[in-house]
Amino acid sequence: MTTETRSVDSASLQMIRQAAKAGIETAWDRYDAMQPQCGFGILGICCRNCSMGPCRIDPFGEGPQAGICGANADTIAARNLIRMIAAGAAAHSDHGRDIAHTLNLAAKGKGRDYAVKDSRKLKEVATRFGIKLDNKNENQIAVELSEAALREFGKQDGTLLSAATYAPPARVKVWEDAGIMPRSIDREIVEAMHRTHIGVDTDYKNIMKHAMRTSLSDGWGGSLIATELSDILFQGPKPIRFSANLGVLEKDKVNIIVHGHEPTLSEVLVAVSREKEMVKLAEDGNAKGINLAGMCCTGNEILMRHGVPVAGNFLQQELAVVTGAIDLMVVDVQCIMPALSSLCNCFHTKLITTSPKCKMEGVEHVEFHEDRAAEIAREIIRKAIASFQNRGKKILIPDEKESAIAGFTTENIFEILGGRYRSTYRPLNNAIIEGRLRGAAGVVGCNNPKIQHDYGHITMIKELIKNDVLVVTTGCNAIAAAKAGLLRPEAASICGAGLREICEAVGIPPVLHVGSCVDNSRILTILASVLAEGGLGKDISDLPIAGAAPEWMSEKAVSIGMYFVASGVFTVIATPLPVLGSKKLTKYLTEEMENEIGGRWAFESDPIKAAYLMIRHIDGKRDALKLRPLMYEQPLAPKGQQDRT
Ligand code: SF4
Ligand code: MSK
């Protein structure tokens, strides 16, 4: 990939060029230096689960076909995959646990900077968790709910309450019949590690059964708890405008980037950065104010609740520093490149870690504690103002920034689409049943230097909306879509006629930003709500929908993909899962799983071909449901691009 083809985003390209000119290394350079990447790793057939190894299987059949213990390619690839899922589920779920802990502290009066902000949602979620509301006050309910949520992580008996109460009954039955109903969150992750220790589970299908159960404990458990309890603590999002891309940085203001995933500190940073004393302090330091902007999913969390601008997605974290305009970057957990540490040393940028789980050698650590949140946030902002004094003269901020709308949720889609008199999913279901809307797709996930930055995201979304497929988005895909102008109601102009009509009638964009990575759980609950409304089958696998991650890279993305598949969703990803070294496992994931569980994976690196795989799947589901023909003539798939890969 040449410098010019590393991204489709002109702001990013400008900074990539700037980095190259200054001899600064970025992820793309390190990716090039890493070539050729290890074929055994790509195929998933190397194992170092014990010290008799490492072992590797010869994919050409000429060398070893088993590790020293006798594990074959199927076992090794399956074990490696479930370990990725366990790590991804652990990351999401630990996030959920921390939010539950913060809610508990707040409700007990020990987290003075936090309080229940959404009492309607508190009551709804508490009821789902089986808590009697009686005459209890908000804090009593919140204590009981947070304790019930925390029990979901480590309980030893029964199954996950949230999976049973949020998922459609027909789906719960599929899980029970398949023996994959998640029991508790930590338990499934621990068991995934136990099963993959040397000499335990060697049957790849049995390993995949548990991989599904582990991922379900993430999607319908840990992630769902993170989303629901964040809404209670920080307020359920409402549609809100924000700006996206590196152009949100401001030359004359103290620029602070919040990066990572957890909203607990960033929520307080937003409030504190707007305090008069803090703004005055910045002005006393010759700045024109404080400009807080987000990066990755911490960015998504605060943009959807406060309209805070977002500077970029995963592959832009280094590029933001290269502008020379970031005075301080404060990070929490996940998707934070270790490279930031040495990169920030080349600039005046102060990098601060805040989580005891995420420290970086040589980087200042200001440990976050919920009971002193505002005090810690003020300390961080003072450091940013001090760092502004060290800013060099040479800064380069790209002009590009795009306005967008975010903040859609399971609850407010219900209100927005329901019309003036009644909140309901009926109009959405009817639009699908009548053929105005072909179906819906969740397009989510990261960036990956193996794929031109943002190209996969934007190309796929455009193809889907052109074909009357409503898109819901989260994570770094949502930020890519925002930068490309796809999160504006005006994007209706590039949609098929049916989707355009709906967007214009309701005033929504054709791509609905529903939040951060953990908020993929919102997509699950939207699907459950659509089914509950009626007319589109009984199970998620009946719905004319599909999922995709066109530029995925993280283990969390694998867990997300697996919980969508295990929930009955056809899910297409660009870079294949590292399983191709096992023909049997690949066939199981991409074909056979569908018969057992109703969903399956597909691997397709061309985002247009991938979009047509999704469209064809959606059309198949429409036929099975005997829905009416599409109302408008559809754009034809580019010739030769509909074939299955
Ligand atoms: Fe090799 Fe088996 Fe040990 Fe893996 S578990 S490293 S395949 S001996
Ligand atoms: S931040 S997991 S790169 S979406 Fe959630 Fe983006 Fe992927 Fe991280």
Side-chain angles (χ1 to χ4, degrees):
M1 207 180 273
T2 67
T3 306
E4 292 305 311
T5 56
R6 286 176 170 180
S7 179
V8 292
D9 168 26
S10 57
S12 295
L13 275 178
Q14 189 181 352
M15 299 322 299
I16 288 168
R17 279 183 222 118
Q18 173 74 0
K21 210 163 95 187
I24 292 168
E25 188 184 84
T26 62
W28 287 277
D29 301 306
R30 293 188 294 274
Y31 172 72
D32 287 346
M34 200 58 70
Q35 301 311 310
Q37 285 174 290
C38 171
F40 296 100
I42 290 170
L43 298 175
I45 45 176
C46 54
C47 178
R48 50 175 190 79
N49 289 12
C50 86
S51 117
M52 290 190 284
C55 301
R56 53 193 197 181
I57 305 300
D58 181 356
F60 304 108
E62 288 159 12
Q65 292 303 296
I68 295 162
C69 67
N72 62 17
D74 308 323
T75 300
I76 292 175
R79 286 196 310 212
N80 289 339
L81 186 66
I82 195 177
R83 283 194 169 202
M84 292 182 86
I85 289 168
H92 282 149
S93 300
D94 213 29
H95 172 165
R97 186 199 325 266
D98 284 348
I99 300 287
H101 181 63
T102 307
L103 179 62
N104 188 268
L105 285 179
K108 287 179 175 163
K110 293 180 191 161
R112 57 194 163 162
D113 300 310
Y114 302 98
V116 168
K117 291 224 178 100
D118 194 332
S119 71
R120 187 172 93 169
K121 184 130 189 187
L122 171 71
K123 288 175 188 153
E124 278 171 17
V125 178
T127 307
R128 293 239 197 202
F129 274 77
I131 292 159
K132 296 222 162 24
L133 304 183
D134 300 328
N135 292 324
K136 293 172 195 161
N137 68 32
E138 265 182 12
N139 282 340
Q140 284 171 317
I141 299 169
V143 169
E144 285 187 37
L145 172 60
S146 56
E147 286 172 353
L150 287 167
R151 275 197 298 277
E152 293 287 272
F153 288 85
K155 70 183 181 193
Q156 301 300 317
D157 300 309
T159 53
L160 216 57
L161 204 56
S162 49
T165 53
Y166 279 80
R171 185 51 22 193
V172 173
K173 175 137 190 349
V174 171
W175 296 333
E176 284 171 348
D177 290 350
I180 59 168
M181 186 71 185
R183 295 159 297 182
S184 74
I185 299 160
D186 293 351
R187 178 174 183 178
E188 308 309 0
I189 295 165
V190 168
E191 190 171 311
M193 298 310 287
H194 177 191
R195 284 176 184 238
T196 53
H197 185 275
I198 179 180
V200 188
D201 206 353
T202 56
D203 176 347
Y204 72 95
K205 282 194 187 173
N206 203 40
I207 296 171
M208 284 306 101
K209 255 175 90 169
H210 188 65
M212 286 190 258
R213 181 157 54 183
T214 306
S215 70
L216 291 171
S217 79
D218 170 357
W220 297 92
S223 281
L224 186 143
I225 287 171
T227 298
E228 298 292 76
L229 271 48
S230 291
D231 284 355
I232 292 167
L233 259 181
F234 308 125
Q235 185 71 51
K238 299 268 180 296
I240 192 165
R241 276 198 183 275
F242 69 102
S243 305
N245 215 341
L246 293 167
V248 305
L249 301 174
E250 295 196 41
K251 186 161 75 59
D252 301 320
K253 289 190 178 172
V254 177
N255 287 310
I256 301 172
I257 294 278
V258 290
H259 175 25
H261 280 76
E262 293 188 355
T264 327
L265 171 60
S266 54
E267 273 284 325
V268 181
L269 274 166
V270 173
V272 165
S273 70
R274 293 170 180 174
E275 285 177 359
K276 273 193 193 136
E277 304 76 52
M278 286 292 129
V279 176
K280 167 99 175 38
L281 202 62
E283 287 167 351
D284 290 347
N286 290 326
K288 289 200 173 142
I290 298 169
N291 179 38
L292 192 84
M295 180 70 64
C296 287
C297 282
T298 300
N300 281 324
E301 293 278 355
I302 52 176
L303 74 81
M304 67 181 170
R305 294 198 174 87
H306 304 286
V308 170
V310 66
N313 50 10
F314 177 70
L315 274 177
Q316 289 180 287
Q317 58 187 288
E318 292 178 286
L319 305 180
V321 176
V322 175
T323 62
I326 308 296
D327 301 299
L328 185 140
M329 184 182 276
V330 52
V331 301
D332 49 77
V333 289
Q334 302 165 20
C335 303
I336 298 146
M337 285 193 194
L340 286 174
S341 155
S342 53
L343 177 66
C344 288
N345 285 338
C346 302
F347 295 84
H348 78 294
T349 306
K350 186 148 200 71
L351 182 62
I352 289 189
T353 56
T354 53
S355 166
K357 297 170 202 166
C358 174
K359 292 189 181 182
M360 296 164 104
E361 194 185 351
V363 170
E364 184 171 347
H365 184 72
V366 177
E367 193 146 308
F368 173 63
H369 296 278
E370 289 91 341
D371 54 349
R372 295 192 296 113
E375 188 188 318
I376 292 164
R378 284 187 200 103
E379 182 187 340
I380 291 170
I381 289 181
R382 277 191 213 100
K383 285 179 190 292
I385 295 169
S387 173
F388 177 79
Q389 311 309 317
N390 302 327
R391 199 193 274 182
K393 292 258 174 298
K394 277 196 177 168
I395 63 166
L396 181 64
I397 301 176
D399 292 332
E400 287 87 346
K401 64 175 169 187
E402 186 58 81
S403 80
I405 298 180
F408 295 94
T409 63
T410 311
E411 294 82 6
N412 69 34
I413 290 178
F414 180 80
E415 286 155 12
I416 293 162
L417 294 172
R420 203 172 302 164
Y421 304 110
R422 195 163 72 96
S423 296
T424 168
Y425 272 82
R426 194 73 253 156
L428 177 64
N429 285 29
N430 282 349
I432 296 173
I433 292 166
E434 290 158 5
R436 195 180 303 280
L437 207 57
R438 185 175 224 133
V443 187
V444 306
C446 326
N447 298 133
N448 185 330
K450 291 179 175 172
I451 294 158
Q452 189 176 23
H453 171 234
D454 287 352
Y455 170 77
H457 291 312
I458 295 165
T459 312
M460 174 182 284
I461 289 179
K462 284 185 174 168
E463 210 58 40
L464 290 169
I465 60 177
K466 196 168 93 187
N467 282 281
D468 282 337
V469 176
L470 177 73
V471 171
V472 287
T473 174
T474 62
C476 289
N477 178 285
I479 299 171
K483 291 185 292 169
L486 297 171
L487 301 191
R488 299 183 309 145
E490 295 80 1
S493 64
I494 58 165
C495 295
L499 178 55
R500 185 165 65 234
E501 267 182 24
I502 292 169
C503 292
E504 286 171 354
V506 189
I508 54 167
V511 184
L512 302 179
H513 184 335
V514 297
S516 63
C517 291
V518 292
D519 294 331
N520 283 305
S521 65
R522 293 194 204 275
I523 302 180
L524 296 176
T525 53
I526 289 169
L527 298 179
S529 304
V530 166
L531 280 169
E533 188 66 48
L536 287 169
K538 295 261 178 288
D539 185 14
I540 294 174
S541 62
D542 295 332
L543 293 170
I545 55 156
E551 301 182 26
W552 79 277
M553 62 85 202
S554 72
E555 289 168 315
K556 290 181 293 168
V558 186
S559 180
I560 294 166
M562 189 60 109
Y563 72 61
F564 272 104
V565 168
S567 298
V569 180
F570 171 63
T571 302
V572 190
I573 59 171
T575 312
L577 291 172
V579 297
L580 299 184
S582 162
K583 286 195 179 62
K584 282 190 193 166
L585 179 58
T586 305
K587 191 169 182 336
Y588 181 68
L589 293 167
T590 58
E591 295 176 29
E592 296 163 5
M593 266 181 96
E594 192 161 31
N595 300 328
E596 285 176 24
I597 214 76
R600 69 177 171 91
W601 294 83
F603 311 143
E604 174 53 67
S605 58
D606 178 333
I608 295 181
K609 282 187 187 176
Y612 283 100
L613 289 179
M614 297 161 79
I615 291 165
R616 198 167 59 177
H617 174 83
I618 287 170
D619 286 351
K621 293 294 175 184
R622 290 189 65 85
D623 290 347
L625 285 167
K626 299 193 171 39
L627 302 182
R628 287 182 217 159
L630 293 175
M631 221 173 240
Y632 299 100
E633 198 180 323
Q634 297 303 303
L636 290 174
K639 215 172 167 21
Q641 297 212 315
Q642 296 119 308
D643 300 338
R644 183 160 169 211
T645 310

